[in-house]
Structure formats: C-alpha cells, structure tokens
Amino acid sequence: MTASVIDGKVIAADLRARVADEVARVKRDHGLTPGLAVVLVGNDPASEVYVRNKHKQTQAAGMASFEHVLPAGVAQADLLALVARLNADPAVHGILVQLPLPKGLDTETIIAAIDPAKDVDGLHPHNVGRLAGGLPALSPCTPLGCIILTKSVHSSLEGMDAIVIGRSNLVGRPLVQLLLNENVTVTIAHSRSRNLSELCRRADLVYAAVGKAEMVRGDWIKPGATVIDVGINRIPLADGKARLIGDVAFDEAMEIAGAVTPVPGGVGQMTVACLLVNTLRAACAIKGLSAPAV
C-alpha cells in the first residue's frame, strides 16, 4: 500500500480563493476592506522572504497590506509605540510582528501589547487562554492549517486518537487545544517522552512538530494513519545548496500511512492562507459582522 499525498498547495489555493470571495462580499455589502499590518524587525533573510509572500497573498485576496520594516537595533519603546499606533488604526484589523525578534527585544512584552482582537498570530495571552478554555479565539496559523489538512482526509475527527510530537507555543500546544475542540483523544509528546515510537504507533493522526529531521520513522506509524509533518529542516548538499526535509522519513511513511503531507508542499503552504483567514475573521468581528464562511 502506498499512502496518498496531501497536497497543501492545492488545499491552500482553494482556501485563499474562498477568502478572496468573502473579502469581495464584505467589501460589497459592508464597505469593509480587511487590513493586515506586518512588522519586520531586522533583516533575517528567511523572514524577509516570508513577509514578501504574506504581502503578495494579502493583496491577491483583495485585502489591504501594510508593511513596517524596522532596523534590528530599534529600541523596544519605539516598537511598542508602532504597535500602539496599529492598535488604534481603524484600517488595520490584523497585526503580525514577525518572529523571531532580534536580541534585546522582549518577545512576550511585544506580543502582549498587541490588541487581542487584532492578534492574527493567536499568541496573545488572551487568545491563548480562550483557546485553552474551548472558547472562540484567534488561533495560531500553522496549527489551524494542520486541522484543515487533516479534515481534507477525514470529514470528522471525532473519537480519533492523535499524537502531537512537540510542545512549542507556536505549534504543539495550540494544536492540542484545536484537536480537543474536535473531540479527538490527544497525546502530547516531546523530547523527554518515554517509548515515543510506541506512543506514535497507537495514533490514527500523527503531527510531527519537533524540528528534528526525519525523526519519525516508518515503523513508528500505525498502518493507515494520517501523518501531518510540520517540520522544516535545511540539509546542506555537496554543491553548497540545501534541501528541505521534514520531521518524518517521508518515503518510509508513504509505505505505511494512509495519507502524508510532503515537505515542502504541505503545512507550510497553509500557514499564510490561514493568516488571511484570521485577518478576515478579525475584521468581521471588529466590525460586528457575522463570522465569514471560511
């Protein structure tokens, strides 16, 4: 048996198209143009590429895109002042401060300064707490993308067994909460978990978000399981270039699993698409409109 490949590129494109349709509707019916502000501090090459991609896709969806690029040595007070201006700007419905921030800036303080209603990264303590309590909240984009990819394989996740390998605030922890909201039985595992391969073999749904190349082997996977690979690991090649591989040994997994996301072309495609979803949802909530159909 060969597993099916979950095509994140196709699923993300469909999601972006549905967001664009909803943006056109709220513009037409309510005069509302959702606006996303992205703040980039410093000149990290990977972050610059990511921000350019966000800008392009935000505009393609019919939203307003605001970019703010600050030098790596910016004072924390100046960054907080910018966040305060964006909080007060009625044209901005989503604020994203690109992480990681340069040394000398306190990430928690910056995130806590963002208006929770505009926190499209889903990292503000207010949104984290609401999500943990099973209440409506803006959720982090990557875990949200993981759920959408899983639902492309299973219409309902209720009663399934899942394992989340990795407990970061960006992916692992919020993903557990989203799975609980889908009535999934969840095990959260990490670097200190004992018998990790055995825990993994029990799961119908495997989410690998540990940041270790090909850690999850084929013989860790339950036959027919759905495997969502969040890992992005750059492996240097002899010619000086690098190739991207995930946290799952893809070829091995394809021989055992029912469905697997590739790296690249899987979860990464969904993150920006879900950022657009969050911005649209935030804009509608701030305006007092009903939730959009995405």
Side-chain angles (χ1 to χ4, degrees):
M1 180 185 79
T2 301
S4 61
V5 175
I6 303 170
D7 193 335
K9 191 172 183 180
V10 169
I11 296 166
D14 174 71
L15 182 57
R16 290 196 305 271
R18 289 190 285 123
V19 168
D21 288 344
E22 283 291 283
V23 169
R25 180 185 65 79
V26 297
K27 278 185 181 179
R28 181 185 68 244
D29 296 349
H30 304 284
L32 172 63
T33 300
L36 172 65
V38 176
V39 179
L40 175 62
V41 183
N43 54 359
D44 177 73
S47 292
E48 287 177 342
V49 170
Y50 198 43
V51 167
R52 275 200 302 273
N53 193 24
K54 288 172 183 173
H55 178 68
K56 181 180 175 182
Q57 292 193 26
T58 302
Q59 290 190 318
M63 298 184 184
S65 178
F66 308 99
E67 285 188 70
H68 298 269
V69 181
L70 302 176
V74 67
Q76 181 154 306
D78 292 336
L79 178 53
L80 288 169
L82 172 59
V83 170
R85 289 198 300 275
L86 297 175
N87 284 341
D89 188 341
V92 173
H93 305 95
I95 300 170
L96 185 148
V97 177
Q98 183 67 36
L99 302 178
L101 290 170
K103 290 180 180 179
L105 296 172
D106 186 75
T107 299
E108 289 183 11
T109 300
I110 303 302
I111 290 171
I114 297 170
D115 181 347
K118 298 185 178 187
D119 167 41
V120 287
D121 239 357
L123 297 177
H124 191 284
H126 176 85
N127 285 318
V128 172
R130 288 185 64 85
L131 184 63
L135 300 171
L138 289 168
S139 306
C141 301
T142 299
L144 191 58
C146 290
I147 297 294
I148 294 170
L149 289 173
T150 310
K151 285 186 168 181
S152 74
V153 180
H154 308 279
S155 57
S156 172
L157 309 185
E158 187 167 336
M160 300 183 83
D161 285 307
I163 186 167
V164 176
I165 308 172
R167 53 181 170 177
S168 72
N169 291 333
L170 283 173
V171 181
R173 292 174 192 264
L175 179 54
V176 169
Q177 304 301 334
L178 290 173
L179 287 166
L180 289 173
N181 291 346
E182 298 289 339
N183 296 316
V184 175
T185 301
V186 190
T187 298
I188 183 163
H190 43 79
S191 59
R192 298 191 183 182
S193 297
R194 294 178 183 172
N195 304 319
L196 184 52
S197 60
E198 293 177 24
L199 293 173
C200 213
R201 274 191 286 271
R202 299 200 313 237
D204 307 306
L205 309 172
V206 176
Y207 299 90
V210 74
K212 188 174 180 181
E214 296 186 336
M215 187 183 86
V216 178
R217 313 306 303 190
D219 62 3
W220 289 28
I221 296 167
K222 179 181 179 179
T226 297
V227 180
I228 308 294
D229 190 348
V230 187
I232 299 178
N233 305 285
R234 295 181 182 276
I235 306 301
L237 301 175
D239 60 4
K241 296 181 180 179
R243 74 182 178 104
L244 296 180
I245 62 174
D247 290 351
V248 177
F250 181 78
D251 291 341
E252 294 178 17
M254 286 292 290
E255 295 180 8
I256 305 291
V260 185
T261 59
V263 177
V267 173
Q269 297 284 329
M270 296 297 295
T271 299
V272 176
C274 289
L275 176 64
L276 302 180
V277 170
N278 275 353
T279 302
L280 174 60
R281 288 176 177 172
C284 290
I286 290 167
K287 189 78 170 178
L289 307 178
S290 56
V294 290

